[in-house]
Amino acid sequence: MSTIAFIGLGNMGGPMAANLVKAGHKVVGVDVTQAAIERHVAAGGVAGGSIAEAVAEADVVVTMLPSGREVNALYLGENGIVPKVKAGALLIDSSTIDVDTARAVAKVAAGKGLAMLDAPVSGGTGGATAGTLTFMCGGEDATFARAKPYLDAMGKTIVHAGGPGNGQAAKICNNMILGITMIATSEAFVLAEKLGLDAQQLFDIASKSSGQSWSLTTYCPVPGPVPTSPANRGYQPGFTAAMMLKDLKLAQDAARSAGAVTPMGAEAASLYGLYAAQGEAGTDFSGIVNFLRGR
Ligand code: NAD
């Protein structure tokens, strides 16, 4: 059993921390929201005080925060994780953040002799609760090996994508594919409607043809063909348009920084920006099909 400081007990972090409790660890939870701490205690966790107090006792620190801004501040701030953590502790950041911040924070941590893994996830709140998340990890081999048992308690598929920052790189590349294919799939269904082609017919054909993708066969943006997709429940998330927009912007930042040409990614970011600005930021990202219909 380890003592784990878990910082950021939100929609994802809350259930992830609960799975570490179930695995038998002492999980000291920290969040700025009192309600999140109370849920953590109800799930068998321990309420932490300040970040400095929580990490001073921890063998492992896991963070699940909104963006790179919070990660940078909480790891590198004066009373933050890197200055205050116990010597030899393992640091795991599962937030989805920009590659540059992930690499910069890992470098400072390494300078202090601390092993750090970036380990963003896919699988959403359902996967976080069920303990079936996919973790995409960036860090040294030894760091990955140390982190794996903890990640196994929260996820089903744990992949080592290379050195520091490569977990974030894998995550934003994957989600750029997802954003683009969701728009492409939605456009095809809107065109089919106009051409008098039934949605189920298009699904049956495209799902067995070269138009096949996860956006079509697992998360179909129109009601009917895939009963579990958000289209069948009024586009309640799931994965919000705001989250997709965040990841597409991270992909664009990374493309600019690395000098990669990603025009379809740029267009997807622009379309999700317009969709979210229409008051749909909290709608599932597959609802973009309605935006493309002009609704
Ligand atoms: P969330 O907003 O529900 O949770 C973030 C938590 O961090 C909140 O409880 C917030 O109070 C806490 N927090 C913020 N600043 C803090 C600080 N200074 N100190 C302590 N706690 C602080 O977000 P979420 O949905 O849990 O997402 C977390 C991360 O996971 C994000 O980076 C997101 O992009 C990523 N992610 C989310 C999903 C999803 O489906 N929700 C899926 C994959 C990845």
Side-chain angles (χ1 to χ4, degrees):
M1 187 193 91
S2 303
T3 298
I4 301 173
F6 202 114
I7 304 166
L9 303 163
N11 293 326
M12 295 293 290
M16 288 165 70
N19 281 327
L20 288 170
V21 172
K22 273 190 213 149
H25 300 293
K26 178 183 174 188
V27 184
V28 181
V30 179
D31 199 289
V32 284
T33 311
Q34 191 53 33
I37 304 268
E38 282 164 17
R39 276 193 299 273
H40 178 63
V41 171
V46 177
S50 67
I51 287 175
E53 285 163 357
V55 302
E57 302 297 324
D59 308 306
V60 181
V61 178
V62 183
T63 46
M64 194 53 170
L65 295 161
S67 73
R69 197 163 45 109
E70 289 85 9
V71 169
N72 192 64
L74 267 58
Y75 274 87
L76 304 185
E78 198 183 333
N79 286 312
I81 298 164
V82 170
K84 298 293 179 186
V85 75
K86 192 162 87 173
L90 169 66
L91 311 179
I92 302 173
D93 178 37
S94 282
S95 327
T96 300
I97 67 166
D98 58 288
V99 176
D100 289 346
T101 297
R103 289 186 175 150
V105 172
K107 196 170 174 189
V108 176
K112 303 243 167 169
L114 295 163
M116 181 163 182
L117 196 74
D118 52 290
V121 301
S122 82
T125 52
T129 304
T132 56
L133 291 169
T134 295
F135 283 86
M136 299 156 242
C137 305
E140 304 304 327
D141 290 349
T143 308
F144 177 74
R146 273 179 74 192
K148 177 105 183 355
Y150 303 102
L151 303 181
D152 281 336
M154 300 183 281
K156 198 169 75 174
T157 307
I158 323 292
V159 185
H160 188 198
N166 277 23
Q168 300 294 350
K171 166 82 185 172
I172 59 170
C173 288
N174 178 74
N175 280 19
M176 189 174 78
I177 296 173
L178 177 61
I180 293 168
T181 58
M182 182 54 76
I183 292 168
T185 305
S186 297
E187 283 186 1
F189 276 106
V190 172
L191 175 61
E193 276 165 29
K194 301 261 186 210
L195 296 174
L197 173 63
D198 182 61
Q200 186 67 48
Q201 294 281 8
L202 172 61
F203 178 87
D204 290 345
I205 294 163
S207 63
K208 299 281 183 295
S209 305
S210 45
Q212 192 276 334
S213 73
W214 188 93
S215 293
L216 178 71
T217 55
T218 303
Y219 218 79
C220 188
V222 297
V226 178
T228 50
S229 79
N232 299 286
R233 49 171 203 266
Y235 299 95
Q236 282 169 34
F239 187 61
T240 62
M243 293 265 187
M244 175 48 80
L245 179 58
K246 173 193 163 182
D247 291 356
L248 288 168
K249 284 181 172 169
L250 288 174
Q252 286 306 291
D253 290 346
R256 262 190 299 278
S257 174
V261 180
T262 55
M264 297 292 283
E267 188 60 29
S270 168
L271 286 169
Y272 271 104
L274 288 169
Y275 178 55
Q278 292 196 335
E280 302 290 355
T283 305
D284 189 79
F285 82 109
S286 59
I288 199 153
V289 68
N290 292 322
F291 172 79
L292 296 168
R293 278 195 189 101
R295 282 188 206 150

